[in-house]
Amino acid sequence: MLTTNFLNFDFSNPFMNASGVHCMTINELDALAASTAGAYIMKSATPAKRTGNPEPRYYDVPLGSINSMGLPNYGFAYYLEYALNQQEKTERPVFFSVAGMSVSENIAMLKELQASDFQGITELNLSCPNVPGKPQVAYDFELTDETLAQVFTFFTKPLGVKLPPYFDMAHFDQMAEILNKYPLTYVNSINSIGNGLYIDTKRDQVVIKPKGGFGGIGGEYVKPTALANVRAFYTRLKPEIKIIGTGGILSGQDAYEHLLCGATMLQVGTQLQKEGPAIFDRLITELAAIMKDKGYHTIDEFRGKLKIIE
C-alpha cells in the first residue's frame, strides 16, 4: 500500500530520517536500518571529524525544536566505510549526505564519492556556509548555479540537493530554473527555518548557546512553510526531479499532506529526535489508515493532486 518507487527502487514506504537526526554513530545508523523506515540517510559528513558547536545546542520546544549543531560528525571516511559495508548487505540504496563548510570541501568529497565504489544516492546540502558576510549557498543563486555546473562536470552518480526554505514566489521561480538545468535525482525541501530565537521565560534567557541563541527551527512550527516549498518545487521542476518532503511531520496526516503536495519520499527530523525510530511504526499505521479511509490503494493515486480554489 505504501510502496514508493524512487530511483527505480521500490521502497516499502516513503519514510526516512532527516540527516542529522539519529544517524551520527554506527549504532544509531544500525537502529535506523533495523527500523520500519523505508530508507535512511547518514549524518552530513565534513572532510574531517567535527565536534560541532558548544552545548547546549539543541532544545525541544513545545511546537518543535531549535538547534545550532555546527555539523558534528565523525568525518567523511567514517560514513563512506559504513555505506560501502551496508551496500554489500542489502539491495536497498544507501543515502549519503555531504555538507562541507565550503563549496570547495563539497567538491572534494563528491570527487571522492565519484571515484569510490559507492553505488547509493548522494545528498548535497546547499544549506551550508559560504564565505563570511555572504548568505548560505542556496540563497546565493549565482553561486548555486556555479556549484552545480562544476559538480556535474565529473559527478555521474545519483545526486539530490537539500534546500533551505524560500519565502518569495520569485525565488521559487529562480531556483527552479537553475535546478532544471541539471540531471538531479531529487530536491529535499526544507531544511530548518534559519535563525529563529526561543526564550526561557523563567530565566529571561535563550535556550541554546551558539550564535547568541539563534538557531534553526524545526517541527510543527515549520509545516506550512515546508508544504509550500514542496508544492512550489513540485509544480516547477521537471518530472524526473523528485521531491523529498521534510518539515513538520509529526503524524500520518502530516505525511499525507506532504505527499498530496507532491513529495515522493518523506524525512522526519524533530519528531524522530523526540520519539526515536519507533516513530516509523506509528507513522506507517496512521498514513495507511488515512489512505484506507479515503479509498486509496497506492500513494500515486493522490500524490501531487492537491486541489486549489478556482
Side-chain angles (χ1 to χ4, degrees):
M1 190 180 199
L2 300 186
T3 301
T4 300
N5 186 271
F6 187 86
L7 198 66
N8 298 319
F9 184 85
D10 287 330
F11 293 95
S12 60
N13 63 74
F15 294 108
M16 15 181 345
N17 65 304
S19 182
V21 183
H22 207 89
C23 58
M24 183 161 167
T25 67
I26 287 175
N27 286 342
E28 287 178 332
L29 288 164
D30 283 345
L32 286 176
S35 76
T36 53
Y40 63 98
I41 187 167
M42 287 175 282
K43 184 77 175 70
S44 294
T46 52
K49 179 180 178 179
R50 284 179 57 85
T51 56
N53 290 336
E55 296 181 339
R57 58 194 184 187
Y58 175 94
Y59 194 86
D60 284 328
V61 296
L63 295 179
S65 64
I66 182 169
N67 84 88
S68 179
M69 300 298 289
L71 286 173
N73 72 99
Y74 284 103
F76 178 84
Y78 179 92
Y79 298 106
L80 181 57
E81 181 181 5
Y82 181 84
L84 294 176
N85 287 334
Q86 284 300 107
Q87 71 183 20
E88 292 180 1
K89 299 176 184 177
T90 176
E91 294 181 1
R92 182 171 60 168
V94 176
F95 285 75
F96 192 106
S97 178
V98 170
M101 301 302 291
S102 66
V103 172
S104 61
E105 284 191 0
N106 282 329
I107 295 295
M109 287 187 286
L110 289 175
K111 285 184 175 178
E112 284 194 58
L113 275 176
Q114 177 66 32
S116 75
D117 292 330
F118 178 66
Q119 299 300 320
I121 302 166
T122 304
E123 180 168 287
L124 171 61
N125 189 347
L126 292 178
S127 308
C128 61
N130 181 9
V131 295
K134 295 283 188 178
Q136 55 179 279
V137 173
Y139 285 149
D140 184 331
F141 296 107
E142 184 176 351
L143 182 60
T144 297
D145 198 2
E146 291 172 359
T147 300
L148 291 176
Q150 188 175 350
V151 167
F152 284 109
T153 61
F154 65 88
F155 202 80
T156 59
K157 297 177 180 182
L159 180 73
V161 292
K162 186 163 189 179
L163 299 178
Y166 298 95
F167 304 96
D168 193 293
M169 291 296 187
H171 292 160
F172 291 135
D173 292 339
Q174 285 176 269
M175 182 53 66
E177 184 178 355
I178 292 167
L179 298 174
N180 278 330
K181 292 165 60 176
Y182 300 101
L184 288 164
T185 298
Y186 70 88
V187 165
N188 184 351
S189 186
I190 61 172
N191 207 333
S192 57
I193 296 179
N195 294 322
L197 188 74
Y198 192 86
I199 295 172
D200 178 343
T201 55
K202 291 182 180 179
R203 300 181 179 180
D204 290 352
Q205 178 177 288
V206 298
V207 294
I208 59 173
K209 183 174 181 178
K211 296 170 62 177
F214 283 69
I217 301 296
E220 194 172 348
Y221 292 110
V222 310
K223 190 180 87 168
T225 299
L227 293 176
N229 277 258
V230 167
R231 187 62 181 174
F233 285 114
Y234 177 74
T235 56
R236 286 166 173 79
L237 294 177
K238 55 191 180 183
E240 53 265 40
I241 301 178
K242 304 303 180 186
I243 311 291
I244 295 182
T246 307
I249 298 178
L250 285 71
S251 68
Q253 179 61 40
D254 301 323
Y256 179 84
E257 291 173 21
H258 267 270
L259 296 166
L260 190 65
C261 286
T264 296
M265 299 286 284
L266 306 168
Q267 289 188 358
V268 184
T270 294
Q271 204 61 24
L272 170 60
Q273 178 70 29
K274 292 183 177 185
E275 292 186 37
I279 188 177
F280 295 114
D281 298 334
R282 178 174 67 79
L283 293 175
I284 288 166
T285 300
E286 290 176 359
L287 177 58
I290 291 168
M291 289 172 59
K292 183 178 179 181
D293 184 59
K294 290 178 176 288
Y296 293 124
H297 298 95
T298 68
I299 289 172
D300 282 343
E301 290 175 38
F302 66 91
R303 188 175 60 80
K305 296 180 180 178
L306 178 69
K307 301 171 185 175
I308 60 172
I309 300 172
E310 299 290 352

